[in-house]
Amino acid sequence: MMNPGMELDLGWVQKTTINLPAVERRAATLRTRRTVKKSWQAAWLLRAVTCIDLTTLSGDDTSSNVSRLCYKAKHPIREDLLKAMGMEDAGIEVGAVCVYSSRVPEAIKYLKQAGGSSIPVASVATGFPAGQTPLETRVEEIRRAIKMGAREIDIVISRTKALQGDWQGVYDEIKVCKEACGADVHMKTILGTGDLGTLTNVYKASLVAMMAGSDFIKTSTGKEGVNATLPVGLVMVRAIRDYYHKTGVKVGFKPAGGIRSAKDSCTWLALMKEELGDEWMKNDLFRIGASSLLTDIERQLYHFVYGRYAAAHQLPLA
């Protein structure tokens, strides 16, 4: 379901306050409580795989990098591991492949070659990661990425406007970007939470992004000094819950940046389950932006199947 958005409700935005100690206490419980174990953990890890936006956003990206990434997107877990778990016919693949707009045609081509045409290609746009280019340039980048075949667009907000409290300006720019995406392309809005200064600003930016029509809200570009953290994630999912209660519209959530361990992926899934419910544990409403997370997930699944950890050479990775 696409988010149609709503008129900007500045009253709702401005009255927001965040209890920082309470947020930190709640976030701490997610890491310290007993996690899922054994076969349940394996199931959660496979679910996490299907929620990954497998990403390459480096200045040295090449065609061969994208090719390997796309093969891994279609075949994220070794066949022998899936067979041992009885999951060889489950169609386990990642949620999307995320690249720069110039790499979109290559990603589409290589996914097709790998048999993964059903996997959407997401493109970052709007002057990623800084978002400091003129609005018309950002909008044109969206249109070009869609024209090249991107089915999802990850935009970045103007952190400058957010830090200045210009929520009308933030809303207006996101709304223009949403219009450029049209009716068939999902738009994920990156808040750049590491640059926003306070959790109150994170909640306000979350609300404004959803009011402007964002289908997902995303923590970070992965390029900030601080990326996805549990306190930030908690504030954002609480904003999603509040927006859902007010509008009946379900908006997705995507933590990104610094999520590298299998345990981390289970922690984020637990956050979604406890705060938003089971519906937000599937890739139509939850994604994890990651480039190396699969390494540890596959390592943990190898241990589950064989009772020991694999040597590095036994898990060839994209």
Side-chain angles (χ1 to χ4, degrees):
M1 177 181 177
M2 305 287 268
N3 176 19
M6 58 178 280
E7 292 297 320
L8 178 62
D9 185 346
L10 279 173
W12 184 9
V13 173
Q14 298 292 10
K15 72 181 181 182
T16 297
T17 56
I18 299 297
N19 184 332
L20 178 59
V23 169
E24 290 179 338
R25 285 195 302 271
R26 171 71 179 101
T29 66
L30 290 161
R31 285 200 181 278
T32 57
R33 70 179 55 187
R34 184 175 179 82
T35 57
V36 289
K37 298 295 183 181
K38 298 184 179 178
S39 60
W40 287 103
Q41 183 186 54
W44 275 48
L45 291 177
L46 288 176
R47 173 62 60 85
V49 169
T50 67
C51 294
I52 291 175
D53 278 6
L54 196 59
T55 303
T56 182
L57 295 170
S58 300
D60 60 354
D61 280 345
T62 64
S63 180
S64 60
N65 290 348
V66 177
S67 175
R68 288 194 298 271
L69 191 81
C70 291
Y71 181 84
K72 194 64 179 175
K74 177 60 181 175
H75 307 282
I77 303 298
R78 278 176 30 166
E79 198 66 30
D80 61 312
L81 301 181
L82 292 175
K83 188 173 182 179
M85 292 183 284
M87 298 295 289
E88 66 271 28
D89 297 322
I92 300 294
E93 57 189 29
V94 304
V97 166
C98 186
V99 294
Y100 280 113
S101 57
S102 61
R103 298 291 177 189
V104 168
E106 290 175 347
I108 293 171
K109 178 180 76 172
Y110 292 130
L111 281 172
K112 184 177 181 180
Q113 289 177 0
S117 298
S118 62
I119 300 172
V121 173
S123 172
V124 294
T126 63
F128 177 94
Q132 294 280 7
T133 52
L135 180 59
E136 57 269 26
T137 303
R138 285 179 268 160
V139 171
E140 180 59 24
E141 189 177 4
I142 292 172
R143 290 176 177 147
R144 286 180 62 84
I146 293 172
K147 187 175 181 179
M148 288 187 288
R151 289 159 55 190
E152 300 180 358
I153 297 291
D154 288 27
I155 72 165
V156 291
I157 70 166
S158 169
R159 275 83 91 197
T160 300
K161 283 184 167 56
L163 289 168
Q164 292 170 339
D166 181 9
W167 298 113
Q168 183 70 58
V170 174
Y171 174 88
D172 290 343
E173 288 193 351
I174 296 173
K175 195 173 174 72
V176 169
C177 293
K178 174 70 172 183
E179 290 168 356
C181 286
D184 300 320
V185 174
H186 276 79
M187 186 178 79
K188 308 188 201 89
T189 298
I190 307 169
L191 305 185
T193 55
D195 294 337
L196 291 181
T198 68
L199 291 180
T200 297
N201 276 343
V202 169
Y203 184 90
K204 289 179 177 180
S206 300
L207 282 184
V208 171
M210 290 185 287
M211 291 175 184
S214 302
D215 301 300
F216 270 72
I217 52 175
K218 176 179 171 182
T219 59
S220 326
T221 63
K223 310 294 185 181
E224 294 98 318
V226 178
N227 293 292
T229 67
L230 286 172
V232 159
L234 179 61
V235 169
M236 291 176 68
V237 300
R238 290 275 176 92
I240 289 172
R241 189 171 68 189
D242 292 345
Y243 185 81
Y244 173 62
H245 288 162
K246 190 177 182 73
T247 67
V249 175
K250 297 172 183 175
V251 173
F253 174 64
K254 178 180 174 180
I259 303 173
R260 298 184 178 90
S261 74
K263 183 177 180 181
D264 284 344
S265 68
C266 288
T267 301
W268 285 102
L269 279 168
L271 173 66
M272 304 309 290
K273 181 177 180 65
E274 294 180 12
E275 292 291 331
L276 293 173
D278 290 349
E279 286 182 90
W280 270 269
M281 295 179 71
K282 301 176 183 177
N283 64 21
D284 58 335
L285 288 171
F286 179 60
R287 301 285 181 82
I288 302 171
S291 56
S292 59
L293 174 60
L294 271 177
T295 304
D296 195 52
I297 290 180
E298 200 166 23
R299 180 172 176 265
Q300 297 303 326
L301 290 174
Y302 187 101
H303 185 275
F304 171 74
V305 170
Y306 294 113
R308 57 185 171 80
Y309 287 111
H313 70 275
Q314 292 176 294
L315 289 178
L317 299 167

